[in-house]
Amino acid sequence: AQTVTQSQPEMSVQEAETVTLSCTYDTSESDYYLFWYKQPPSRQMILVIRQEAYKQQNATENRFSVNFQKAAKSFSLKISDSQLGDAAMYFCAWGGNKLVFGAGTILRVKS
Amino acid sequence: KAGVTQTPRYLIKTRGQQVTLSCSPISGHRSVSWYQQTPGQGLQFLFEYFSETQRNKGNFPGRFSGRQFSNSRSEMNVSTLELGDSALYLCASSLQPENEQFFGPGTRLTVL
């Protein structure tokens, strides 16, 4: 069975600084997707970024980028130039249409 | 394009009752998945539907069921409610299975 582990229950970052959220996963499959979702206090889950496992190149979406290490089964999210609106719970997820989620990391942004 | 909609947004039931939650996917999306979110268990997959067929089911008791209609709208039903069923139930849709999922705002169910 697939598992996703987020070892940082909570992180803090100063506004305009950079923060990295960690995620590791375990799977025996060779072809899969990885995602980072953001869940603000409204509880609306918002897709932040997606990575296809067969692609070597790390995905980037504006201030958000990932460091995907397939052999190490690691998928970290880097947020550059952090903004107050980035404060939320961030979930790492494995899969396609049956997502397996990590426990989440609460990100606090300090002004 | 309108996002995923879920109704009702909030629901209060008592133990033993049953409940039906509804999800309307993004127009054109044919795949719908359901998730349960609780503080203790986190986000857990319930089931996935595509073209009115259940493709995957998570590890939940038979009290949890669902269906999908020809217009891709989906409902999930929980019978004989228990206190532990109190949760945020999230629905997500995608164009096809294995595509990225877009989530609705959720239905907050409280069982008293």
Side-chain angles (χ1 to χ4, degrees):
Chain A
Q2 291 74 23
T3 59
V4 176
T5 303
Q6 293 178 250
S7 59
Q8 306 153 316
E10 192 170 326
M11 293 282 284
S12 288
V13 63
Q14 200 70 35
E15 204 175 1
E17 298 292 308
T18 296
V19 65
T20 298
L21 308 184
S22 300
C23 173
T24 58
Y25 60 94
D26 192 23
T27 183
S28 57
E29 299 189 23
S30 58
D31 202 13
Y32 49 88
Y33 296 90
L34 292 163
F35 306 87
W36 279 97
Y37 280 91
K38 168 185 176 181
Q39 188 178 44
S42 68
R43 309 300 261 168
Q44 175 75 56
M45 293 282 279
I46 301 164
L47 177 64
V48 175
I49 199 163
R50 178 179 93 153
Q51 174 78 44
E52 291 145 340
Y54 66 87
K55 287 188 175 178
Q56 300 271 9
Q57 190 171 5
N58 289 325
T60 300
E61 287 287 342
N62 301 312
R63 297 182 295 108
F64 299 87
S65 62
V66 299
N67 183 4
F68 174 48
Q69 302 288 329
K70 190 173 183 179
K73 295 180 180 173
S74 169
F75 182 60
S76 61
L77 174 71
K78 185 172 84 171
I79 306 173
S80 304
D81 185 27
S82 296
Q83 300 174 0
L84 294 176
D86 295 334
M89 175 80 92
Y90 285 81
F91 291 96
C92 176
W94 175 99
N97 241 50
K98 178 184 173 182
L99 294 175
V100 177
F101 287 89
T105 296
I106 298 171
L107 177 65
R108 302 192 193 283
V109 180
K110 296 183 274 191
S111 59
Chain B
K1 189 184 274 191
V4 179
T5 57
Q6 292 187 246
T7 56
R9 293 293 311 279
Y10 302 92
L11 208 47
I12 299 175
K13 293 285 188 179
T14 56
R15 279 181 298 174
Q17 287 187 309
Q18 76 163 18
V19 67
T20 300
L21 312 182
S22 181
C23 171
S24 292
I26 292 170
S27 177
H29 285 196
R30 297 170 60 200
S31 182
V32 173
S33 297
W34 289 88
Y35 297 86
Q36 181 197 63
Q37 185 176 23
T38 61
Q41 300 298 315
L43 279 153
Q44 293 186 287
F45 170 77
L46 277 158
F47 20 66
E48 174 211 344
Y49 289 89
F50 177 69
S51 293
E52 302 178 66
T53 301
Q54 186 180 91
R55 293 182 73 239
N56 279 299
K57 190 178 194 309
N59 189 25
F60 279 82
R63 300 184 297 106
F64 290 81
S65 63
R67 59 178 174 169
Q68 186 180 34
F69 302 95
S70 58
N71 62 358
S72 295
R73 190 177 70 84
S74 178
E75 287 181 348
M76 67 163 280
N77 184 77
V78 188
S79 63
T80 320
L81 284 165
E82 300 177 0
L83 295 179
D85 297 334
S86 294
L88 180 68
Y89 290 88
L90 293 165
C91 167
S93 77
S94 60
L95 275 169
Q96 301 278 342
E98 311 305 321
N99 288 163
E100 57 199 43
Q101 297 183 43
F102 297 88
F103 283 78
T107 293
R108 169 75 65 186
L109 172 65
T110 302
V111 182
L112 303 176

